């Protein structure tokens, strides 16, 4: 059996109602839509010039229906392709910076429970370790960290060895920008580690445990940050992340290969509270399946409500969607090649901008604005995007995960945005599928 033949057989698609009472309003149309998405994924993954190892996606309609599709491999056998393992419905992925969106949701739950206020000065909680060396009178707050305006740079090698290493890094001016906190947008993984450490102190739990208590369990997510915390059956479904250099036919494992549990972290470090949350990789280490990311998307589409009650207060929901930074002459920032134009609380605000620096436009013809987070690390590309109900348009959502990229794919830019072309094609296809069910889309 040829690899191409196996790829076609292993392409999967599934649709599931959000709750037993909800059914598809157009089952025949949705079946056709899923077939179209599977074919799109086959084309993108199987691009001979810019191949990927695989992709898994979900798209969510305003009526609560969730549809999913997947194509390709979660584990590639280097010498014997017939031994490769396919992506399946419950395959887990390390989803990179999409992890930060869930960090933000857990932070808002702590805020609502009055354990850690969005605008509290974090320095006292961290024993005075968090002060900008050039601007010590300006407090650094959870809000500033979640909107990437804390002043912290992204030049720290993570994970850090221990709490003392974290304190040394915070005290070193080389890890801070010139501007006072609050005045400049600069994306920072390190700042998210600092916030996660403060959240541990506020919740009196290690980061992975507090995420389980405050977010994963209420939503019914089978997700973990530390791969060693995954139950055996989920660890068996964990996808390896791959890259393939130009001129090579071999996919090279980058992360989560079988038997590879990442950087060596002691059980004591994982259980420590408020010392060094970088061991959990809160900025990018979430292992989760696309069905669970779809559940998070539903929470956002439902304005923070879950199972008939508010998981996020109305005020926190409003804070989550409020743009805290929008690029302008008065609000400067680093845009990652034109991609970042506006930032809400813990997630990007997609403004439908297209200009000489490319931009954050989602489909080529525009007219779609939304919120969410993108991820890129170790060959993986990911995104969780949604639009709240607005005017006569119901809410919408989509999730995509690409678990391995060729160098050619990562070097091929988008045609109308700062996304890579493979991401553009998937996002455009999912939005086209949603468009027919959304009035005025």
């Amino acid at each position: 059996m040829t690899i191409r033949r196996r790829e076609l057989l292993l392409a999967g698609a599934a649709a599931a109602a959000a709750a037993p009472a909800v059914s598809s309003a157009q089952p025949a149309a949705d079946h056709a839509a899923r077939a179209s998405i599977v074919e799109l994924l086959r084309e993108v993954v199987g691009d001979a010039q810019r191949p990927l190892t695989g992709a898994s996606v979900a798209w969510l309609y305003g009526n609560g229906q969730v549809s999913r599709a997947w194509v390709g491999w979660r584990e590639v056998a280097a010498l014997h392709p017939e031994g490769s393992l396919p992506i399946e419905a419950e395959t887990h992925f390390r989803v990179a910076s999409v992890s930060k969106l869930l960090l933000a949701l857990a932070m808002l739950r702590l805020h609502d429970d009055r354990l850690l206020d969005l605008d509290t000065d974090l320095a006292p909680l961290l024993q005075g370790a968090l002060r900008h060396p050039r601007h010590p009178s300006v407090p650094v707050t959870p809000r500033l960290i979640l909107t990437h305006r804390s002043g912290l740079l992204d030049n720290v090698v993570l994970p850090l060895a221990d709490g003392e290493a974290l304190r040394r890094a915070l005290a070193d001016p080389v890890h801070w920008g010139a501007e006072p906190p609050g005045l400049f947008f600069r994306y920072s993984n390190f700042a998210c580690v600092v916030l996660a450490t403060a959240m541990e102190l506020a919740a009196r739990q290690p980061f992975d445990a507090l995420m389980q208590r405050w977010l994963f369990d209420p939503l019914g997510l089978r997700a973990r940050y530390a791969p060693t915390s995954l139950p055996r059956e989920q660890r068996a479904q964990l996808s390896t992340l791959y890259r393939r250099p130009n001129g090579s036919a071999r996919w090279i494992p980058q992360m989560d290969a079988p038997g590879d549990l990442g950087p060596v972290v002691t059980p004591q470090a994982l259980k420590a509270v408020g010392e060094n949350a970088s061991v959990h990789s809160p900025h990018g280490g979430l292992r989760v399946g696309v069905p669970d990311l779809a559940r998070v998307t539903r929470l956002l589409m439902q304005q923070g409500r879950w199972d008939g009650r508010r998981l996020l207060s109305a005020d926190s929901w409003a804070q989550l969607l409020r743009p805290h930074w929008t690029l302008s002459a008065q609000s400067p920032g680093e845009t990652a090649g034109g991609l970042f134009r506006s930032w809400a609380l813990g997630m990007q605000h997609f403004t439908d901008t297209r200009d000489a620096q490319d931009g954050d436009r989602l489909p080529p013809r525009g007219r779609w604005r939304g919120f969410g987070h993108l991820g890129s690390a170790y060959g993986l590309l990911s995104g969780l995007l949604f639009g709240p109900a607005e005017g006569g348009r119901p809410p919408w959502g989509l999730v995509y995960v690409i678990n391995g990229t060729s160098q050619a794919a990562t070097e091929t830019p988008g045609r109308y945005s700062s996304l890579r072309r493979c991401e553009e094609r998937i996002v455009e296809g999912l939005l086209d599928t949603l468009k027919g069910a959304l009035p005025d889309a």
Side-chain angles (χ1 to χ4, degrees):
M1 184 184 296
T2 65
I3 295 176
R4 175 60 177 164
R5 172 65 175 161
R6 287 201 74 208
E7 178 186 297
L8 296 178
L9 291 175
L10 291 168
V22 179
S23 61
S24 173
Q26 295 178 304
D30 185 60
H31 178 78
R34 286 185 281 120
S36 176
I37 291 297
V38 168
E39 187 56 35
L40 169 66
L41 295 181
R42 286 173 175 154
E43 292 176 5
V44 177
V45 170
D47 186 326
Q49 302 301 315
R50 294 167 289 273
L52 312 173
T53 51
S56 183
V57 304
W59 59 104
L60 295 87
Y61 301 91
N63 65 358
Q65 180 185 327
V66 181
S67 294
R68 292 182 281 130
W70 55 91
V71 162
W73 314 95
R74 72 177 188 268
E75 185 181 333
V76 177
L79 300 178
H80 301 286
E82 290 296 316
S84 297
L85 298 176
I87 292 174
E88 297 176 329
E90 301 300 327
T91 297
H92 278 52
F93 306 90
R94 185 190 188 277
V95 293
S97 287
V98 171
S99 309
K100 295 183 180 72
L101 176 51
L102 282 78
L103 168 74
L105 294 175
M107 173 60 220
L108 285 172
R109 295 220 65 210
L110 296 181
H111 170 80
D112 285 343
D113 218 52
R114 300 185 179 181
L115 293 178
L116 185 58
D117 191 87
L118 278 170
D119 297 306
T120 195
D121 182 353
L122 292 176
L125 190 62
L126 296 168
Q127 300 178 340
L130 189 62
R131 281 284 183 250
H132 194 308
R134 300 180 186 87
H135 310 282
S137 64
V138 183
V140 176
T141 67
R143 186 187 301 273
L144 290 182
I145 290 176
L146 289 174
T147 55
H148 294 289
R149 297 176 298 142
S150 68
L152 284 165
L153 303 180
D154 205 24
N155 57 359
V156 176
V157 177
L158 299 172
L160 293 159
D162 50 31
E164 182 57 34
L166 175 61
R167 289 184 284 272
R168 284 198 305 269
L170 289 173
D172 191 338
V174 76
H175 300 312
W176 294 85
E179 310 83 6
L183 294 188
F184 192 88
F185 177 90
R186 182 182 288 110
Y187 192 92
S188 176
N189 290 290
F190 179 41
C192 292
V193 165
V194 174
L195 177 58
T197 303
M199 289 168 64
E200 288 186 337
L201 290 164
R204 300 181 181 180
Q205 289 181 293
F207 181 74
D208 213 16
L210 79 84
M211 290 298 296
Q212 186 172 345
R213 175 185 175 186
W214 291 96
L215 191 67
F216 299 166
D217 285 352
L219 288 177
L221 307 185
R222 300 191 302 160
R224 294 292 185 273
Y225 280 81
T228 52
S229 300
L230 286 170
R232 181 176 299 178
E233 65 273 13
Q234 289 170 253
R235 200 181 305 173
Q237 273 285 341
L238 184 59
S239 172
T240 302
L241 306 183
Y242 293 94
R243 288 191 174 111
R244 197 179 93 175
N246 285 339
S248 173
R250 182 175 180 181
W251 290 101
I252 301 174
Q254 304 292 305
M255 178 65 73
D256 290 344
D260 177 14
L261 298 179
V264 177
V265 178
T266 66
Q268 292 78 9
L270 291 173
K271 293 177 182 178
V273 174
E275 278 290 306
N276 173 29
S278 73
V279 297
H280 298 277
S281 191
H283 55 288
L286 180 66
R287 274 77 173 182
V288 65
V290 168
D292 278 353
L293 289 178
R295 292 174 78 85
V296 175
T297 309
R298 279 180 52 214
L299 171 73
L300 296 167
M301 292 169 63
Q302 294 167 177
Q303 302 182 15
R305 296 183 179 89
W306 192 258
D307 285 344
R309 67 183 184 92
R310 276 207 166 274
L311 204 62
L312 299 177
S313 70
D315 177 68
S316 285
W317 169 253
Q319 295 291 329
L320 186 68
L321 264 63
R322 179 169 73 84
H324 286 67
W325 169 82
T326 299
L327 181 66
S328 69
Q330 294 72 39
S331 298
E334 297 177 355
T335 66
L339 180 61
F340 299 152
R341 301 307 179 97
S342 183
W343 210 266
L345 193 69
M347 59 184 179
Q348 185 172 350
H349 175 214
F350 292 86
T351 62
D352 191 30
T353 297
R354 182 185 182 188
D355 56 25
Q357 287 76 46
D358 296 320
D360 63 0
R361 175 162 288 181
L362 296 176
R365 294 170 297 282
R367 297 187 63 204
W368 289 74
R369 300 172 188 262
F371 299 87
H373 216 296
L374 304 174
S376 174
Y378 301 108
L380 172 136
L381 300 172
S382 59
L384 187 162
L385 311 177
F386 76 99
E390 184 177 8
R393 176 187 287 184
W396 59 270
L398 64 88
V399 174
Y400 68 89
V401 178
I402 297 168
N403 66 330
T405 48
S406 59
Q407 184 177 344
T410 59
E411 291 176 348
T412 302
R415 295 179 180 174
Y416 53 84
S417 76
S418 298
L419 294 172
R420 296 167 181 83
R421 180 57 184 155
C422 58
E423 293 178 280
E424 276 190 347
R425 293 182 67 188
I426 290 173
V427 171
E428 180 183 357
L430 294 174
L431 291 178
D432 279 348
T433 298
L434 289 167
K435 183 176 180 179
L438 299 177
D440 303 319

